[in-house]
Amino acid sequence: MIQENETQLEYVSRLFFEEYGFYYASKEETNRPLVKKYKNFIAALNLHDPMTDEEEKLYRHFLKFDITLKSFFAKKTGPNEANKKLDELYDAAQQYYENNIEPTVRNEAKRMSPKDAQIHMMDSKRNDSITRTVNMLSFYQELNDKMAYFYANLFRILSTCKMPKTNPLMVAVDDEIKNYKNKLSSYNAVPSDLQETFDSEEIYYVGKNNNPYKNLYIYCFLQFVKYFIDIRIPSITEKQFDNLQLLRKYRTKSVYSLHDIANMYSEISDISKQKAYDRMKKLFQKYHIFESCKDANGRFSFSEIELPLAYYEMYRKKNIEPNNLTDSIIRSVYCPLIAFAIDGDTEKISAMAKYISFIRDEFLNLTKEKNIDDAKYSTFLEMLLNSSARVELRLLASKEEVDSI
């Protein structure tokens, strides 16, 4: 622990000397890089500053063996090895709580009233141990279920937009973004405030605790999510749909040949009609797309503009292979957005681009939250993905009605 009148620079220099037997730098040089590493360690694990004795013990271990947090939990080890390390960290955190924290808390509780003792024990368990309502063995399946629900609602958002007399999509998106951010902000409020915001006070966790191994586990848990969990949110920007209004003049036809589609594509891109035709034909034949869209002579024939344009634009990218999810995104997201762009309904495109960007950004932001653990991560991820259902309902009902559900 830091000594009386000892500066932070002197403290970290002394720790280095005690572990290595020599100083990190000579008096003529500077120890400030060591201080920076110390501060980064404290910030990444949300530890106390100055550190407690047990936190210092953890820091000394990393210092002695020249381990960084990045090397300690590296992406290159793969999900299986990373999952094993998470299990080891979970056991270490729980053992430290049971052996070093819980006995002291129980003794303290004996000097309290029954009600205060129960609260004291519950607070310690929530803060200093790990609830672990999710683990990596079940996380993939849980996430798949949540993503299926998210996409089902996302697809309905754009189909609902086609209905008459719906509420503006941008208003629905703005409401839901505000709703989510308010809940995330309240998460770090005092417990009494949280009890009015959330159904259960179990959501409460401020990040500071007496168990540094819990914080190391949380850090690695969130790194695991960032490294190995891909929620496959489609990328949507307004720029993708620029110039599509130029294609409105082609709406007069009831059947479109591949040459028609290629001509349209060349009009909104920088490639020639023949090159567009050759590339589309090759791609559609390679992936056996649109085999059912051929006339009696075996030539491609389409009843709409959007579908072949969307398929080509998606699958011409080298890193994307056809699958059921991508096909569904093309049909239920990109095709309606292309139709809106052709008809000049840019507000819906702006709203959807804003919403998708919000989902992608907040997913990554959740992995950077310091005041969170695995159970709370799962809770807020569920809130985030469930927002697609709320957006879809807001198109048909008022905010008050949706909030009451």
Side-chain angles (χ1 to χ4, degrees):
M1 184 174 286
I2 192 168
Q3 299 173 358
E4 187 177 357
N5 299 324
E6 189 175 38
T7 67
Q8 190 177 67
L9 181 60
E10 292 169 338
Y11 174 53
V12 296
S13 298
R14 174 172 61 81
L15 293 183
F16 187 92
F17 176 79
E18 290 174 356
E19 292 303 324
Y20 286 96
F22 59 89
Y23 283 102
Y24 179 79
S26 66
K27 291 183 179 179
E28 291 76 24
E29 296 173 326
T30 175
N31 286 326
R32 297 199 182 280
L34 192 62
V35 174
K36 184 178 180 181
K37 291 180 181 179
Y38 166 80
K39 288 182 176 180
N40 289 342
F41 187 84
I42 293 288
L45 298 187
N46 203 24
L47 303 179
H48 298 87
D49 189 10
M51 294 185 292
T52 64
D53 288 344
E54 196 62 34
E55 290 171 346
E56 182 184 292
K57 180 180 176 182
L58 179 64
Y59 175 73
R60 283 176 179 271
H61 175 81
F62 275 74
L63 188 64
K64 181 178 181 179
F65 294 99
D66 195 24
I67 306 169
T68 64
L69 287 171
K70 187 174 182 180
S71 65
F72 177 76
F73 200 82
K75 185 177 182 179
K76 63 182 180 181
T77 62
N80 291 336
E81 288 302 313
N83 190 46
K84 289 179 183 177
K85 180 163 281 190
L86 274 179
D87 284 337
E88 293 170 1
L89 291 173
Y90 173 79
D91 291 339
Q94 289 304 85
Q95 286 174 15
Y96 183 77
Y97 173 75
E98 293 167 4
N99 297 334
N100 299 81
I101 297 177
E102 191 174 31
T104 301
V105 175
R106 287 192 179 279
N107 287 332
E108 292 170 347
K110 291 177 181 178
R111 299 190 292 271
M112 302 177 182
S113 67
K115 182 179 179 180
D116 288 342
Q118 184 182 28
I119 293 173
H120 186 58
M121 292 294 297
M122 289 177 61
D123 282 346
S124 174
K125 191 175 182 68
R126 182 169 59 239
N127 288 330
D128 299 325
S129 71
I130 306 175
T131 7
R132 204 182 191 191
T133 55
V134 300
N135 59 64
M136 286 306 159
L137 294 177
S138 62
F139 194 77
Y140 285 113
Q141 183 57 51
E142 290 178 10
L143 184 62
N144 285 337
D145 292 342
K146 291 172 184 175
M147 288 304 301
Y149 182 71
F150 168 79
Y151 274 115
N153 291 301
L154 183 70
F155 297 159
R156 282 197 294 269
I157 288 173
L158 292 173
S159 61
T160 303
C161 280
K162 298 176 183 178
M163 297 170 58
K165 297 182 179 179
T166 57
N167 296 323
L169 179 57
M170 185 62 83
V171 173
V173 166
D174 285 341
D175 281 350
E176 190 49 39
I177 291 176
K178 183 179 180 180
N179 175 69
Y180 176 84
K181 289 187 174 181
N182 283 344
K183 288 186 176 181
L184 192 60
S185 176
S186 296
Y187 171 75
N188 292 321
V190 296
S192 59
D193 289 340
L194 284 168
Q195 290 171 6
E196 299 176 4
T197 308
F198 298 102
D199 294 333
S200 170
E201 63 179 13
E202 284 298 310
I203 194 73
Y204 167 62
Y205 174 70
V206 298
K208 296 292 185 184
N209 58 66
N210 300 310
N211 188 346
Y213 307 102
K214 171 177 179 172
N215 282 16
L216 181 59
Y217 167 81
I218 292 169
Y219 171 85
C220 294
F221 173 89
L222 296 177
Q223 290 298 105
F224 188 103
V225 172
K226 187 163 63 175
Y227 289 160
F228 305 115
I229 303 294
D230 178 12
I231 60 173
R232 294 183 294 175
I233 298 295
S235 175
I236 296 175
T237 64
E238 295 175 70
K239 188 176 180 180
Q240 289 173 293
F241 302 92
D242 282 351
N243 301 323
L244 290 183
Q245 279 183 267
L246 296 173
L247 306 185
R248 193 183 304 177
K249 60 191 175 187
Y250 295 104
R251 290 277 199 203
T252 55
K253 301 185 69 172
S254 58
V255 177
Y256 303 91
S257 68
L258 187 57
H259 277 291
D260 292 330
I261 301 299
N263 291 347
M264 294 181 213
Y265 189 82
S266 68
E267 190 167 339
I268 58 173
S269 66
D270 58 356
I271 64 175
S272 66
K273 297 176 182 179
Q274 187 59 46
K275 185 175 289 188
Y277 174 83
D278 292 339
R279 289 179 178 178
M280 285 184 175
K281 183 177 180 180
K282 181 179 179 180
L283 185 141
F284 291 169
Q285 289 177 336
K286 174 185 176 182
Y287 292 128
H288 303 290
I289 301 171
F290 303 132
E291 284 299 309
S292 61
C293 297
K294 288 184 176 180
D295 59 21
N297 297 316
R299 293 174 297 200
F300 289 110
S301 178
F302 307 99
S303 60
E304 58 184 31
I305 298 171
E306 296 84 5
L307 198 59
L309 284 178
Y311 265 92
Y312 176 70
E313 189 61 24
M314 177 66 77
Y315 286 135
R316 72 183 180 86
K317 301 169 186 176
K318 294 181 180 180
N319 61 334
I320 297 181
E321 290 289 328
N323 58 55
N324 291 336
L325 175 60
T326 306
D327 282 354
S328 295
I329 292 173
I330 289 172
R331 291 177 179 273
S332 300
V333 178
Y334 285 101
C335 283
L337 291 177
I338 289 174
F340 291 142
I342 292 173
D343 294 333
D345 194 351
T346 57
E347 184 271 344
K348 292 183 175 66
I349 298 171
S350 299
M352 187 54 65
K354 183 175 184 178
Y355 178 65
I356 292 298
S357 177
F358 157 71
I359 295 291
R360 292 168 68 95
D361 291 346
E362 288 304 320
F363 173 73
L364 291 177
N365 286 341
L366 278 176
T367 66
K368 301 173 185 175
E369 278 287 323
K370 296 293 190 301
N371 301 341
I372 202 165
D373 66 12
D374 57 345
K376 281 68 183 180
Y377 178 86
S378 181
T379 298
F380 278 102
L381 179 61
E382 187 168 357
M383 285 183 192
L384 184 65
L385 298 180
N386 283 354
S387 67
S388 60
R390 290 176 54 90
V391 170
E392 199 250 334
L393 288 174
R394 278 289 288 110
L395 295 174
L396 303 171
S398 67
K399 182 178 184 300
E400 292 72 23
E401 290 174 305
V402 174
D403 287 343
S404 67
I405 297 176

